[in-house]
Amino acid sequence: MDFVSLRIVTTDVARLAAFYEKATGARAAWATEDFAEVHTPHGSLALAHSRTLASFAPGACRPGANESVIIEFRVPDVDRLRTGLSGTEVVAEPTTMPWGNRSCLVRDPDGNLVNFFTPVSEAARAKYGIDADV
């Protein structure tokens, strides 16, 4: 088995794609006006309009209703990223966590929680195979 993607169901794919493109620096790959993916080296964030579920699972998702999932991205410099997210709701400013990640928690335009983090302790950097001199 291979984890491929996490999909966010929304009523505005273009708005979410623009947010994730700005935050990650990756361009969204569009399949249709109702479906786009932001690819990273380890998986993809799929963005789908609620219309895409109508044919096989109507009513299965409620866009903007997430209250239990945090989408996480490891970034080279969370403090630098934070300064580039003007206009974004910041839930928690960059903070160094006890496990060695420096994290910034924000909400995307649909209200989903997104954690951008940078491993800063030796143990956290080792966990992700990051050389201490990088």
Side-chain angles (χ1 to χ4, degrees), residues 17-71:
F19 170 82
Y20 284 103
E21 284 179 333
K22 179 180 177 184
T24 66
R27 299 287 302 160
W30 290 84
T32 69
E33 66 179 340
D34 286 341
F35 188 86
E37 292 177 291
V38 176
H39 298 284
T40 75
H42 298 287
S44 297
L45 181 63
L47 308 170
H49 197 284
S50 56
R51 291 185 291 257
T52 63
L53 296 174
S55 63
F56 70 98
C61 290
R62 290 187 323 270
N66 174 25
E67 293 183 355
S68 64
V69 174
I70 300 174
I71 303 159

Side-chain angles (χ1 to χ4, degrees), residues 37-121:
E37 292 177 291
V38 176
H39 298 284
T40 75
H42 298 287
S44 297
L45 181 63
L47 308 170
H49 197 284
S50 56
R51 291 185 291 257
T52 63
L53 296 174
S55 63
F56 70 98
C61 290
R62 290 187 323 270
N66 174 25
E67 293 183 355
S68 64
V69 174
I70 300 174
I71 303 159
E72 297 188 302
F73 291 94
R74 181 174 45 124
V75 299
D77 185 341
V78 72
D79 292 285
R80 181 179 297 162
L81 177 86
R82 167 60 185 102
T83 62
L85 291 177
S86 61
T88 300
E89 180 186 348
V90 177
V91 176
E93 291 290 347
T95 304
T96 302
M97 306 306 290
W99 46 89
N101 290 336
R102 188 152 174 80
S103 297
C104 179
L105 194 61
V106 304
R107 289 198 185 276
D108 75 12
D110 273 11
N112 299 299
L113 285 170
V114 183
N115 179 36
F116 295 104
F117 72 94
T118 302
V120 293
S121 74

